[in-house]
Amino acid sequence: GAVVSQHPSWVICKSGTSVKIECRSLDFQATTMFWYRQFPKQSLMLMATSNEGSKATYEQGVEKDKFLINHASLTLSTLTVTSAHPEDSSFYICSASGASGRAQYFGPGTRLTVT
Amino acid sequence: QKEVEQDPGPLSVPEGAIVSLNCTYSNSAFQYFMWYRQYSRKGPELLMYTYSSGNKEDGRFTAQVDKSSKYISLFIRDSQPSDSATYLCAMRGEYGNKLVFGAGTILRVKS
């Protein structure tokens, strides 16, 4: 149980375009979803937390207008990187937790390359 | 000082060895403790989850939490080359849902 999927697993886009990443909890209802960014050989950096039906809470330094997060249902959250630039190239990982909110289950990650 | 300290390694061991991975922390409010395994270019996989102090065993993995010392450990018995990965400790308080992660320890098990 506790499976989280992400789509796409990798994406290449041109500078100035937008890209959407989907995160789905497959076998449980995710009341809270999290979006992380990870640079090579570094730990996870939390970008934002979202609860179903509510606006996301962004961490300090994360541009909310650039990284749009939608958590419209208990099984789906999306991260849209708007007007992407090469510095946005990174590994983006989502996680989800259920009603108990104790453990977080991570998706497989999405590698974004902006050319 | 970081809230959670974890030696980044790398830690190299021969196949079959017992591996000990550790994290120390400074926030006494932490109550939930987790260990994740992350293979290269993959998302972290939850290995062990414990609440408060004590031990928990699951197959070859044993997690220990010593809240008095603010020290947690993950032991891997009969280590295998497939255990080669980065191991992340994570923890959070009783309330709230943000996890605080260690830097991750790179483990290499050599056959």
Side-chain angles (χ1 to χ4, degrees):
Chain A
V3 178
V4 177
S5 69
Q6 267 184 257
H7 178 81
S9 55
W10 59 272
V11 59
I12 300 173
C13 70
K14 292 187 176 181
S15 186
T17 62
S18 296
V19 61
K20 180 185 285 187
I21 303 169
E22 289 188 352
C23 176
R24 294 182 184 272
S25 57
L26 300 184
D27 54 1
F28 68 103
Q29 293 187 326
T31 52
T32 307
M33 285 186 165
F34 306 82
W35 286 94
Y36 293 84
R37 188 172 177 176
Q38 188 175 36
F39 292 102
K41 299 185 179 181
Q42 293 189 26
S43 192
L44 301 160
M45 183 188 81
L46 179 65
M47 298 175 66
T49 303
S50 73
N51 293 299
E52 185 261 339
S54 302
K55 287 185 178 180
T57 300
Y58 291 81
E59 294 299 299
Q60 192 172 11
V62 177
E63 298 176 62
K64 59 181 67 177
D65 294 331
K66 181 166 190 61
F67 298 100
L68 300 179
I69 292 171
N70 183 278
H71 189 170
S73 76
L74 285 172
T75 58
L76 173 64
S77 176
T78 59
L79 167 68
T80 301
V81 183
T82 62
S83 186
H85 292 284
E87 58 265 29
D88 299 324
S89 298
S90 190
F91 192 51
Y92 292 88
I93 313 174
C94 71
S95 71
S97 63
S100 68
R102 294 173 182 172
Q104 287 183 29
Y105 300 92
F106 285 83
T110 296
R111 186 160 302 281
L112 169 64
T113 300
V114 184
T115 60
Chain B
Q1 184 185 7
K2 293 180 182 178
E3 252 188 315
V4 179
E5 297 279 359
Q6 184 177 11
D7 186 339
L11 175 64
S12 293
V13 300
E15 183 177 357
I18 297 175
V19 175
S20 172
L21 302 166
N22 312 291
C23 288
T24 59
Y25 62 95
S26 58
N27 190 343
S28 58
F30 288 146
Q31 291 279 16
Y32 296 94
F33 304 91
M34 284 141 273
W35 285 95
Y36 289 90
R37 176 175 63 194
Q38 186 176 23
Y39 292 111
S40 181
R41 300 173 183 262
K42 299 290 184 183
E45 172 193 2
L46 180 64
L47 285 178
M48 300 292 283
Y49 167 86
T50 52
Y51 174 72
S52 195
S53 285
N55 296 351
K56 187 173 184 178
E57 187 174 323
D58 184 0
R60 296 186 296 114
F61 300 93
T62 299
Q64 288 186 352
V65 175
D66 182 348
K67 290 191 67 182
S68 62
S69 302
K70 297 190 181 69
Y71 187 89
I72 69 171
S73 301
L74 177 71
F75 297 96
I76 307 174
R77 291 183 297 280
D78 187 25
S79 56
Q80 303 295 309
S82 58
D83 294 327
S84 298
T86 297
Y87 289 79
L88 296 153
C89 65
M91 50 199 78
R92 55 168 278 242
E94 184 73 47
Y95 306 104
N97 51 20
K98 285 187 194 178
L99 290 180
V100 180
F101 286 89
T105 299
I106 297 171
L107 172 65
R108 295 175 182 153
V109 181
K110 298 180 179 179
S111 57

